[in-house]
Amino acid sequence: MINSKITAIGHHVPALAVTNNDLAQFIDTSDEWIHSRTGIRQRYIAKTETCHDLAAEAGKKALSIAGIDPMDLDMIIVATFTGDYATPSVSCLVQKELGADRAMCFDVNAACSGFVYALDVADQFIRTGKHQKILVIGSEKLSQVLDWDDRGTCVLFGDGAGAAVLEPTDEQGIIDTINYAIGKDYSCLAAGNMINKTPYYEGSTDHALRMNGQEVFQFACTKVPEVIREMTDKHGLTPEDIDLYVLHQANCRIITKIAKRLKLDVNRFYMNMEKYGNTSAASVPIAMSELAQQGQLEGKKVLIAGFGAGLTYGASLIQF
Ligand code: UT7
């Protein structure tokens, strides 16, 4: 039986780091408020980098670690909701940057669950034997969809990208992925409404990200523990049997609450939102890339989970 395995991970962020104190220069906020409510101290914001620049750089790093020639890639999937164009996809632009001319390319839009969704798709292509080398990237340039006058949202997010290479294995790798969506609750979190310029359309033209933070908070704290328990039950495990949890880095209070609901020590949950803020689809691969650099993944049973706009959520169980 063919499984898929993550053989390399890399990440890339814009050059500019913006601290909470930097934001407090032009928004009515403080480092104390942002850090105590979210765990965030700084985020990276693109000045000249595009979403596909970030994605391509993360992809190059992952390919170099894996020792793979871009021409050998069968597929590039980019998880994003902040691409440079509605079309072409970010993945087509990444293909151009990498010179991965043989690769099939498309984007997945599942917001902050995007990387977990994209990994699920890539995993299926490898399990069927159709593809051998797939690059899965989470890349976001959230700064371009924020309302920089709305202190309730603009302090939370950052730009960045993380990339993983998937290849076949006859050992264990990606054990399983479970993804869900609750479309009826879409209005809790939405962004990028296509601005209308026709003289006829009468709908909303608000392009900025709008979020009911407390509803999203409750959703995450309820549904993420549920899907984690579904995953562990399905595989005859308990949450205790997972060595390391890498969840979407939206808020340290969400992760702490999820740990509590699973009756687990929060130290099992990796956190890096302090440095990057919430980078949506990029947060899980950036965190995994840092862990890989520190040699913290090898031999471990890792559960990754995403949650966000859609509303979408999901989890993947991976043996490294
Ligand atoms: O990645 C997608 C998933 N997204 C999430 O997971 C986000 C989930 N939600 C959250 O993380 C939290 O709800 C937030 C961090 C967004 C907000 O935290 P909160 O504890 O729910 O705060 P709040 O929105 O209830 O606001 C509390 C107070 C308000 O003032 P009043 O009305 O109590 O006087 C806000 O106006 O804090 C005020 N406030 C701020 N003050 C200083 C809101 N934003 C700020 C700010 N600086 N940046």
Side-chain angles (χ1 to χ4, degrees):
M1 172 166 167
I2 312 169
N3 288 323
S4 74
K5 184 180 176 180
I6 295 178
T7 54
I9 315 175
H11 72 278
H12 187 77
V13 291
L16 179 69
V18 176
T19 66
N20 293 343
N21 286 326
D22 292 335
L23 293 181
Q25 304 295 312
F26 67 97
I27 303 162
D28 179 16
T29 190
S30 65
D31 179 55
E32 201 285 324
W33 191 95
I34 301 171
H35 189 254
S36 63
R37 298 276 175 142
T38 68
I40 298 165
R41 285 259 189 236
Q42 65 159 42
R43 73 288 293 138
Y44 293 88
I45 300 290
K47 283 179 83 175
T48 54
E49 301 91 344
T50 61
C51 183
H52 76 271
D53 288 338
L54 300 172
E57 287 306 313
K60 277 181 201 163
K61 288 177 189 172
L63 289 176
S64 139
I65 294 166
I68 289 178
D69 182 334
M71 277 302 278
D72 290 334
L73 279 177
D74 300 304
M75 181 153 96
I76 301 170
I77 311 178
V78 177
T80 188
F81 74 93
T82 53
D84 305 309
Y85 303 94
T87 192
S89 63
V90 175
S91 53
C92 283
L93 301 174
V94 169
Q95 187 216 43
K96 170 186 157 289
E97 294 298 324
L98 297 180
D101 296 359
R102 283 186 50 254
M104 154 186 181
C105 298
F106 63 98
D107 292 354
V108 163
N109 177 346
C112 308
S113 312
F115 184 79
V116 182
Y117 265 66
L119 201 67
D120 199 4
V121 175
D123 181 41
Q124 305 312 311
F125 273 87
I126 288 186
R127 281 175 193 267
T128 60
K130 183 165 187 194
H131 287 338
Q132 274 68 50
K133 293 186 188 342
I134 303 180
L135 187 60
V136 180
I137 306 176
S139 184
E140 300 282 12
K141 192 176 158 190
L142 278 145
S143 56
Q144 70 194 358
V145 295
L146 297 176
D147 174 352
W148 287 92
D149 292 322
D150 175 12
R151 68 177 183 171
T153 54
C154 75
V155 303
L156 304 173
F157 298 95
D159 302 333
V165 174
L166 262 67
E167 294 181 78
T169 179
D170 49 18
E171 296 167 5
Q172 270 194 323
I174 297 174
I175 297 170
D176 197 4
T177 304
I178 301 173
N179 280 307
Y180 290 117
I182 313 173
K184 68 180 167 52
D185 291 339
Y186 83 95
S187 60
C188 295
L189 176 48
N193 185 291
M194 295 297 196
I195 294 175
N196 142 63
K197 290 204 174 85
T198 86
Y200 305 105
Y201 181 67
E202 291 172 356
S204 162
T205 55
D206 183 3
H207 181 71
L209 183 146
R210 302 289 170 207
M211 176 170 75
N212 181 327
Q214 285 174 4
E215 278 185 31
V216 178
F217 194 102
Q218 287 310 324
F219 147 74
C221 294
T222 309
K223 290 297 175 187
V224 177
E226 257 180 47
V227 73
I228 291 174
R229 280 197 190 282
E230 179 181 343
M231 180 69 87
T232 51
D233 285 353
K234 186 174 168 190
H235 294 276
L237 302 167
T238 69
E240 275 283 332
D241 296 323
I242 307 299
D243 300 310
L244 184 61
Y245 287 86
V246 184
L247 307 192
H248 169 48
Q249 305 286 306
N251 187 322
C252 64
R253 290 189 295 134
I254 293 179
I255 294 183
T256 306
K257 202 154 191 173
I258 290 170
K260 210 167 165 191
R261 291 202 168 163
L262 294 167
K263 301 190 173 58
L264 294 172
D265 190 323
V266 74
N267 289 331
R268 266 186 215 219
F269 290 72
Y270 187 68
M271 290 200 231
N272 67 3
M273 73 283 288
E274 185 168 40
K275 194 165 149 198
Y276 300 101
N278 176 345
T279 57
S280 184
S283 81
V284 169
I286 290 175
M288 285 204 292
S289 171
E290 287 194 333
L291 285 159
Q293 281 175 352
Q294 298 159 17
Q296 302 263 13
L297 292 178
E298 213 37 55
K300 296 216 172 109
K301 209 179 270 314
V302 177
L303 191 143
I304 65 171
F307 53 88
L311 298 171
T312 57
Y313 63 105
S316 184
L317 180 61
I318 308 168
Q319 178 65 56
F320 279 93

